[in-house]
């Protein structure tokens, strides 16, 4: 006598649910179908990380072995104004009992160590990653010989000196509250070819490791332009390595391109990527600078790639609107930037971002809790 086992399958468009697990017939992951814009909750006051003395920008969050949550963030004195992050930014550390906060400042991570170092004057754009028992902190560093500790403006040539000296570094530790090993050379430098897309500067690192153990580094790149101090177009590139510490091999062409909308008049198309890997794909949330990826429907866009080189918007690329809601009923007067997602067992729980307040009279980091 044979026993016949009946399995109940439920079909939904593009997916098959069996015994409570989702399997996509096209081998896509849940992130190909997720609509972050429908998961956004209003921001509570306890989920706004602010400092009365400092502007706060960036925000890279990771859970420590002790069960606490750590945010690596950029800060600089409010009194100098928003654009004074060059050359005054420093990377600091904050800690919380819950991923959404409230966060409290712990210490400055990278002290200014002198203009003789490539990252000796300013550090910015932290991105932390745990891998094989160690923590790696990627960041932008810069140096220069102009006057520091003063208000700065993009109209000032000194500002562009520090901007053009930006390079990408990595530091390593086994203790999130301990000291980090910094290096005397950047992990990613500009290309020697003067015609390269990244011949002038590199910054804004985003990092992940794919399912084959390949390290994927996405970064901002600026080309040189004769007679123009700020250089040419701002685009993003990608580089690959077998090690978290490099060396990285660069792909020669820019990524995050909407080619039908790209032209010489588009100075910047995407900005501030956050990167992660899931089931053979790589995902990025980027600032949709000109609305090329969401048709101007959202401030942030969700993109995906199979190889880190070729990218396209997901089925629902919109992530957050241009103005976000607070729990007191008010709305932001600035768009969210510098996105970072905290995942719990592979599920997105909190979306972090930098936000200007009162027309950027100061800035904070906000934690947006996401619906299940």
């Amino acid at each position: 006598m044979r026993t016949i086992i009946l399995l109940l399958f439920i079909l939904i468009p593009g997916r098959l649910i069996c015994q409570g697990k989702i399997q996509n017939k096209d081998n896509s992951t849940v992130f190909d179908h997720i609509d972050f814009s429908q998961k956004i909750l209003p921001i509570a006051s306890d989920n706004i990380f602010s400092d009365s003395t400092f502007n706060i920008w960036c925000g890279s969050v990771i859970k420590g072995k002790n069960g606490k949550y750590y945010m690596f963030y950029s800060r600089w004195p409010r009194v100098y104004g928003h654009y004074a992050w060059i050359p005054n930014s420093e990377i600091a550390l904050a800690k919380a009992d819950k991923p959404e906060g409230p966060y409290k400042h712990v210490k400055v991570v990278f002290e200014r160590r002198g203009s003789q170092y490539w990252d000796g004057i300013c550090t910015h754009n932290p991105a932390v990653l745990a891998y094989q028992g160690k923590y790696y902190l990627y960041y932008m560093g810069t140096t220069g010989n102009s006057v520091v500790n003063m208000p700065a403006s993009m109209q000032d040539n000194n500002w562009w000196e520090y901007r053009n000296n930006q390079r990408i570094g990595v530091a390593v530790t086994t203790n999130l509250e301990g000291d980090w090993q910094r290096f005397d050379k950047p992990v990613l430098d500009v290309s020697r070819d003067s015609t390269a897309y990244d011949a002038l500067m590199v910054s804004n690192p985003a990092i992940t490791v794919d399912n084959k153990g390949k390290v994927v580094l996405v970064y901002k790149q600026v080309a040189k332009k004769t007679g123009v101090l700020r250089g040419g177009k701002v685009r993003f590139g990608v580089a690959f390595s077998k090690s978290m510490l490099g060396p990285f091999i660069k792909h020669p062409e820019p990524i995050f391109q909407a080619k039908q909308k790209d032209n010489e008049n588009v100075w910047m198309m995407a900005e501030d990527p956050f990167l992660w890997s899931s089931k053979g794909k790589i995902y990025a949330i980027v600032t949709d600078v000109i609305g090329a990826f969401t048709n101007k429907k959202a401030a942030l866009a969700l993109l995906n790639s199979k190889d880190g080189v070729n990218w396209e918007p997901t089925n629902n690329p919109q992530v957050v609107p241009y103005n976000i809601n607070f729990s007191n009923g008010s709305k932001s007067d600035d768009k969210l930037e510098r996105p970072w997602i905290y995942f719990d067992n592979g599920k997105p729980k909190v979306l972090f971002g930098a936000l200007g307040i009162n027309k950027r009279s100061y800035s904070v980091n906000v934690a947006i809790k996401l619906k299940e």
Side-chain angles (χ1 to χ4, degrees):
M1 180 176 180
R2 291 181 298 175
T3 300
I4 300 176
I5 300 175
L6 298 178
L7 294 178
L8 177 63
F9 295 92
I10 303 174
L11 287 174
I12 59 177
R15 290 183 287 178
L16 178 68
I17 298 180
C18 176
Q19 296 178 338
K21 295 182 180 181
I22 295 178
Q23 177 185 355
N24 293 299
K25 294 188 295 182
D26 58 359
N27 293 323
S28 62
T29 80
V30 68
F31 296 111
D32 293 306
H33 306 281
I34 194 172
D35 187 345
F36 275 103
S37 68
Q38 299 301 310
K39 297 172 68 66
I40 301 298
L41 292 171
I43 302 168
S45 58
D46 280 350
N47 303 151
I48 301 173
F49 180 42
S50 181
D51 189 305
S52 61
T53 305
F54 291 92
N55 277 323
I56 290 175
W57 208 246
C58 308
S60 176
V61 174
I62 192 170
K63 187 177 183 179
K65 298 175 183 177
N66 58 0
K68 302 294 183 180
Y69 299 88
Y70 293 91
M71 176 189 289
F72 294 87
Y73 68 99
S74 304
R75 71 174 196 172
W76 64 97
R78 279 191 187 183
V79 67
Y80 296 153
H82 181 76
Y83 289 100
W85 63 271
I86 284 184
N88 301 293
S89 178
E90 60 187 6
I91 293 175
L93 176 67
K95 182 167 66 172
D97 294 325
K98 297 184 293 184
E100 68 271 22
Y103 282 86
K104 293 184 179 180
H105 173 78
V106 176
K107 67 174 187 176
V108 174
V109 176
F110 295 145
E111 300 283 353
R112 180 176 283 172
R113 57 176 181 167
S115 60
Q116 68 271 30
Y117 294 96
W118 69 271
D119 61 347
I121 298 298
C122 166
T123 53
H124 200 64
N125 296 147
V128 66
L129 186 68
Y131 188 64
Q132 296 184 342
K134 294 182 179 181
Y135 299 103
Y136 297 88
L137 185 60
Y138 290 78
Y139 65 100
M140 178 280 287
T142 190
T143 189
N145 297 311
S146 303
V147 176
V148 297
N149 284 330
M150 61 178 292
S153 167
M154 294 175 70
Q155 307 304 316
D156 185 348
N157 287 351
N158 294 335
W159 193 94
W160 291 101
E161 175 193 356
Y162 287 103
R163 181 266 205 174
N164 293 343
N165 282 334
Q166 290 178 71
R167 305 292 186 264
I168 292 172
V170 61
V172 61
T173 190
T174 56
N175 179 7
L176 288 170
E177 292 194 49
D179 294 330
W180 291 79
Q181 181 185 1
R182 295 168 75 175
F183 297 94
D184 292 340
K185 292 183 178 180
V187 73
L188 194 77
D189 208 332
V190 296
S191 293
R192 294 182 179 180
D193 180 357
S194 63
T195 65
Y197 290 98
D198 63 352
L200 184 60
M201 59 82 80
V202 295
S203 68
N204 290 56
I207 191 78
T208 192
V209 180
D210 70 12
N211 64 326
K212 297 180 180 179
K214 181 170 59 179
V215 184
V216 183
L217 175 62
V218 168
Y219 65 100
K220 181 191 285 187
Q221 53 184 202
V222 181
K224 291 182 176 180
K225 189 174 183 179
T226 303
V228 180
L229 183 60
R230 74 176 188 176
K233 295 190 295 186
V234 178
R235 293 296 182 264
F236 273 81
V238 63
F240 303 96
S241 177
K242 297 179 180 179
S243 165
M244 297 294 290
L245 299 179
F248 282 90
I249 306 300
K250 298 176 181 178
H251 179 73
E253 297 293 323
I255 63 172
F256 300 156
Q257 293 290 88
K259 294 183 179 180
Q260 70 276 14
K261 297 184 179 181
D262 188 15
N263 57 68
E264 288 298 324
N265 295 323
V266 178
W267 186 48
M268 186 185 301
M269 185 165 291
E271 174 78 313
D272 294 336
F274 168 72
L275 222 59
W276 76 96
S277 301
S278 178
K279 297 183 179 180
K281 278 193 172 183
I282 304 170
Y283 294 86
I285 293 180
V286 304
T287 299
D288 193 4
V289 177
I290 64 169
F293 307 113
T294 65
N295 197 26
K296 298 184 179 180
K297 293 180 179 179
L300 301 177
L302 177 61
L303 312 179
N304 73 94
S305 174
K306 293 181 179 179
D307 57 9
V309 173
N310 300 289
W311 294 82
E312 62 182 9
T314 60
N315 295 336
N316 301 290
Q318 62 279 356
V319 178
V320 294
Y322 288 98
N323 303 103
I324 55 179
N325 295 318
F326 294 95
S327 58
N328 64 4
S330 64
K331 287 182 176 288
S332 68
D333 65 353
D334 195 13
K335 69 181 188 301
L336 196 73
E337 298 188 29
R338 298 295 303 163
W340 184 276
I341 294 180
Y342 173 75
F343 293 89
D344 185 6
N345 293 322
K347 297 180 180 180
K349 291 293 185 180
V350 185
L351 170 63
F352 295 88
L355 189 65
I357 304 295
N358 295 334
K359 298 182 179 180
R360 294 198 172 181
S361 60
Y362 67 97
S363 58
V364 300
N365 185 280
V366 297
I368 303 174
K369 296 177 70 174
L370 302 172
K371 295 178 185 177
E372 292 290 338

